[in-house]
Amino acid sequence: MSEESYSYNRHVIDYIQQAAERGVYDIRGMGAKRRLPTFDELVFLTASLSRYPLEGYRERCVTKTILGTRKAKRPVELATPITIAGMSFGALSARVKEAIGRAATAVGTSTTTGDGGMTPEERQSSKTLVYQCLPSRYGFNPDDLRKADAIEIVAGQGAKPGGGGMLLGQKINARVAAMRTLPEGIDQRSACRHPDWTGPDDLTIKIEELRELTDWEVPIYVKIGASRVLHDVKLAVASGADVVVLDGMQGGTAATQQVFIEHAGIPTLPAVRQAVQALEELGVYGQVQLVVSGGIRTGADVAKALALGADAVSIGQAVLIALGCNSRHYVRSAGGDHAWESVDVTDEYRHLGTEPGFCHHCHTGRCPVGVTTQDEELEQRLNVEWGARRLQNYLNVMTMELSTLARACGKSNVHHLEREDLVALTVEAAAMAQVPLAGTDWIPGKKSY
Amino acid sequence: MASVAPTVEFDLDQISLRELNQFLHHDLGSGDHVEITHPNGRHSIAVGIDADVDVQIRGHAGYYVAAMNKRAHVTVHGNVGWGVAENIMSGVVRVKGNASASAASSGRGGLVIIEGDAASRCGISMKGCDIVVGGNVGHVSGFMGQLGRLVVCGDAGAGLGDSLYEAVIYVRGQIASLGADAREEPLSKSDISALVELLDQAGFAHEPSEFKRIASSRTLYHWNAAHLGSYG
Ligand code: SF4
């Protein structure tokens, strides 16, 4: 049998032939799918003789997290450092937004609006809601601004740093169109540059404007996609941000060009370390909080991000997965209290040209499990109560995993996890995270530890 | 006897911007008249007002003056920096001098009048507000304008109306060039009456028929015949 080319393998051949056939580039949802360095390449040096562990389940381990202490009168106080990332109404249905809000409120964390503005459903269901100020300014208004518990200026996103977004016409129903002041059914471009500021000097003035608009009450976050992290974090801090939100390359999107998702920005692992370095070099570590997102999947990921110096994380794709994304079934109420029955939708995945477990077809608006859709029939597939309970479970599990690891490292507060608690399993991860390679005291790029 | 609305005076050399804005947010009486002196180019003056008041700013203002305005009538007796009346919701903002970049960007309602020139990206991302510029506008004005009307009594810089959605631009003078997807269209009766109304409100005595209408040719839209009616 003849050998498959490495450079021109079947995927590359398919890509070239599709491009030649259709003359358009691929647009898709979710995040990078190629192999990237992840937090899996780090492990904890938990306690034994040289460190004392805390008794799991008995000794207290604080998970309380406070964001926005630098200048705001009312910092955001959360019961867990795991927050929910900005996802737009338009990409998600109002039901999904409500389920997310309910779960977040139950576990004491924050949710975030997205491109498209704030829905009453999410404001009502979310105790702590972060309001995004995006380049498109779709749905942006002073009334919702004043209802926010924090404001997040989005300068970039990990899935597409330097690029704008796209909401394809099939997802623009009457409500989405009205919120965005655009006709129904047309493809909506989300700009990559803000209409009223350019660069860090302007951003300083923009942040001050938002503070004046909200009487200096709530924290201002600045979200950046991870690329030139060291410089960008410093500029965000210099511009006056209370919180820097750093979204790594694994971060998801509702829809953007595939070429962006797979080829732009840097992974979350090296990005966190650079962001912490930037805060340390400016002497504002602990004063300006760092929230990290992009590929946070487990309590272990959260613990590692915190140990590297983050104050909190935020999750997006994992939220959707908890709500049933890429699952073979959706569930519907079977009448009695909390009785559910599963409905197999494998055929609908196939109809989209995919399979459960492989789907990234959020951009089509035909989500088989009713998560990323505006279709009246499909969106009913997400039962709000069921979804809220699932997400609440998932957030609780991650928080417990996090505190379990912290206790095992001898910490009575998850925020006491530190870089010294970590080693790397690969030279690459050791270099990126600047922690020693396991079994050595060698940190690549440094002479000794 | 009709009561005369009280005048409240703020000298920005004497009080802080924060005190001024907090007063405007929380302590205004309906129909109040507010005089602001010595603005000296400060940023974010009179942002986020939501009241039926008249505000006079005596001098130049910096970025974002009268941003997100609701209901208030704000007049700046001078020039303004970037993003005057950005995201305006309603009310009227008048600039007696020139405006820098991104005037009335993402404005959703109300009327913004620039008596002099406006720099680049005037009306960028506008979402329903009206803008009347007495002089010229800079390049890429009206970029991605979604809804509302931009009236330019002078000339327009390059790339006018690039990637327009449903906003409409009227220009009396020369247009350096049109941006992607923008095209000139004939003036209809409703355009003429819109111009009459807007020029009258702004206080400019130009002949409406002298203006050109620029709108989106919608070739960048994702066409869907089922929704054709929504395009107007
Ligand atoms: S299952 Fe739904 S949410 Fe998940 S990738 Fe597919 S379309 Fe997107």
Side-chain angles (χ1 to χ4, degrees), chain B:
Chain B
M1 199 177 83
S3 64
V4 180
T7 297
V8 194
E9 283 186 32
F10 289 95
D11 181 347
L12 279 176
D13 273 353
Q14 303 299 322
I15 67 146
S16 71
L17 181 71
R18 207 181 301 188
E19 286 171 279
L20 166 69
N21 281 329
Q22 292 198 357
F23 175 88
L24 295 173
H25 296 163
H26 304 292
D27 303 317
L28 276 174
S30 186
D32 271 358
H33 175 88
V34 179
E35 285 278 329
I36 300 169
T37 54
H38 297 115
N40 295 344
R42 282 185 185 81
H43 307 305
S44 308
I45 297 174
V47 296
I49 304 179
D50 184 1
D52 294 308
V53 289
D54 177 65
V55 178
Q56 303 286 326
I57 301 171
R58 305 281 172 190
H60 305 309
Y63 280 40
Y64 310 133
V65 56
M68 294 206 152
N69 188 64
K70 282 178 89 176
R71 299 189 286 154
H73 285 226
V74 180
T75 305
V76 184
H77 297 266
N79 302 323
V80 296
W82 279 46
V84 52
E86 67 92 4
N87 221 99
I88 180 173
M89 304 296 289
S90 60
V92 179
V93 175
R94 180 184 288 273
V95 177
K96 304 292 262 184
N98 301 319
S100 188
S102 303
S105 59
S106 72
R108 295 165 64 98
L111 172 65
V112 180
I113 302 151
I114 317 286
E115 294 192 1
D117 298 328
S120 58
R121 300 186 293 282
C122 176
I124 180 174
S125 192
M126 59 195 283
K127 294 169 168 53
C129 68
D130 290 319
I131 308 169
V132 184
V133 180
N136 307 326
V137 293
H139 66 270
V140 206
S141 286
F143 179 57
M144 288 181 95
Q146 294 173 220
L147 195 66
R149 298 165 295 187
L150 166 60
V151 179
V152 182
C153 300
D155 301 336
L160 180 73
D162 196 290
S163 308
L164 265 181
Y165 287 105
E166 298 293 297
V168 177
I169 306 175
Y170 302 100
V171 184
R172 183 161 162 269
Q174 302 294 312
I175 298 170
S177 67
L178 291 176
D181 215 29
R183 69 174 180 199
E184 187 177 337
E185 294 179 347
L187 278 183
S188 69
K189 270 198 188 132
S190 65
D191 291 316
I192 297 284
S193 39
L195 281 161
V196 168
E197 174 208 325
L198 290 168
L199 290 168
D200 181 54
Q201 281 179 280
F204 298 123
H206 298 302
E207 177 54 48
S209 60
E210 292 170 9
F211 286 80
K212 297 182 259 298
R213 173 191 156 100
I214 308 300
S216 174
S217 62
R218 297 168 178 159
T219 53
L220 293 179
Y221 286 20
H222 168 75
W223 280 101
N224 182 334
H227 295 132
L228 206 54
S230 315
Y231 297 139

Side-chain angles (χ1 to χ4, degrees), chain A residues 30 320 325-326 349 359-362 367-369 371-372:
Chain A
M30 306 309 267
L320 305 187
C325 157
N326 266 298
Y349 281 98
C359 187
H360 57 218
H361 292 60
C362 314
C367 177
V369 290
V371 174
T372 52

